[in-house]
Amino acid sequence: MTVSSGENTADSTSSLSGLAPLEAVLFDIDGTLCDSDPLHYYAFRELLQEIGFNGGVPITEDFFVENIAGKHNEDISTILFPDDHPRGVKFLEDKEAMFRRFAKEQVKPIDGLYKLSKWIEDRGLKRAAVTNAPRLNAELMISILGLSDFFDYVVLGSDCDRAKPFPDPYLKALEVLGVSKDHTIVFEDSVSGIKAGVAAGMPVIGLTTRNPEHLLMQAKPTFLIKDYEDPKLWAALEELDKKATGSA
């Protein structure tokens, strides 16, 4: 069952209890560990306008959400430059360099991230970051957030045959961690990412960081949360703990 972030029902709080005993937690990076999408949007908007894309009219946030957010750069290149792949590759290299300059000063964790990471560490759970971002971006953001020692692995879409929205990156994460999809949770913030986690057979908790709730729900997350302070998340984790210890 999927429920929206505005609901807090018995179904939503017990929806993770079937995962007990929990073995692993998998995270996307952009929009899931940190609210980085505004920086990506700004970089795309500025550089696309600079080269005269769309007649020099700046792209809108709606265009960004529908065509760019959560997608792998190969797919973005095809969307933006369908007839000129080399130009698309060069453009995206320039865009990522601009993003990394912004990120060094402006990336901040999603509220409650460190509370959740402590909960995960206290239970000895395995964890991986699973992202469509380029390696330099992924490593930079994880480092800025102080999570380099937290993650056991970082799985890139470019390391797989297919990136998100296909399940390959999440299936690879399960493989390298040596865990079962039946005992693993995914945290994601994009339609592409939620679809990938669901296709890999895992419950996905969606974050409404930037993407519209109605679009996220179409990808069938288990439920949506605003951030890691959301009471619905902690009610579900408490139920999971109770199931794991056999308490009523």
Side-chain angles (χ1 to χ4, degrees):
M1 174 181 178
T2 57
V3 297
S4 80
S5 63
E7 296 173 339
N8 195 2
T9 65
D11 285 324
S12 68
T13 58
S14 64
S15 54
L16 302 182
S17 59
L19 296 173
L22 190 62
E23 297 177 350
V25 183
L26 309 179
F27 290 89
D28 175 48
I29 297 178
D30 284 298
T32 302
L33 297 179
C34 51
D35 186 10
S36 49
D37 272 357
L39 304 182
H40 285 290
Y41 169 59
Y42 179 82
F44 272 109
R45 188 186 68 192
E46 294 300 302
L47 290 181
L48 285 172
Q49 184 177 15
E50 192 176 292
I51 65 171
F53 183 83
N54 192 34
V57 178
I59 63 168
T60 63
E61 286 196 59
D62 286 345
F63 179 91
F64 175 80
V65 168
E66 291 170 15
N67 297 282
I68 295 172
K71 292 183 171 63
H72 189 267
N73 275 358
E74 278 293 320
D75 299 320
I76 296 171
S77 176
T78 300
I79 291 168
L80 298 180
F81 304 96
D83 302 318
D84 195 344
H85 184 260
R87 187 185 189 196
V89 170
K90 177 64 169 64
F91 171 85
L92 286 162
E93 287 175 353
D94 293 341
K95 176 262 157 185
E96 298 303 358
M98 176 181 278
F99 167 79
R100 287 191 291 273
R101 290 197 299 274
F102 295 152
K104 287 176 182 177
E105 298 180 356
Q106 300 184 48
V107 161
K108 299 289 187 295
I110 297 293
D111 287 348
L113 175 63
Y114 300 126
K115 178 181 176 181
L116 179 59
S117 65
K118 183 179 186 306
W119 185 92
I120 292 167
E121 287 179 321
D122 287 348
R123 284 152 185 78
L125 304 176
K126 295 182 180 180
R127 50 265 190 183
V130 183
T131 179
N132 274 351
R135 180 174 297 281
L136 287 176
N137 289 23
E139 292 178 346
L140 174 64
M141 287 186 284
I142 288 171
S143 174
I144 290 171
L145 294 168
L147 296 174
S148 298
D149 293 332
F150 173 74
F151 287 110
D152 300 310
Y153 290 95
V154 177
V155 177
L156 306 177
S158 56
D159 288 341
C160 304
D161 291 338
R162 302 175 300 178
K164 304 175 194 176
F166 293 99
D168 304 36
Y170 279 112
L171 294 174
K172 181 170 183 176
L174 292 174
E175 180 184 352
V176 297
L177 290 176
V179 296
S180 165
K181 67 180 177 58
D182 298 323
H183 300 286
T184 302
I185 306 173
V186 173
F187 286 94
E188 271 282 0
D189 77 299
S190 70
V191 171
S192 171
I194 293 172
K195 284 182 175 178
V198 170
M202 289 175 284
V204 181
I205 299 174
L207 283 95
T208 58
T209 313
R210 292 284 169 180
N211 293 309
E213 197 168 301
H214 72 277
L215 289 181
L216 296 179
M217 290 303 295
Q218 291 173 14
K220 299 184 171 23
T222 301
F223 57 86
L224 299 178
I225 57 175
K226 178 185 176 185
D227 54 36
Y228 300 115
E229 298 281 5
D230 196 313
K232 182 159 58 290
L233 170 63
W234 291 98
L237 294 180
E238 184 179 349
E239 286 297 317
L240 184 54
D241 268 345
K242 286 180 180 177
K243 185 75 176 291
T245 59
S247 356

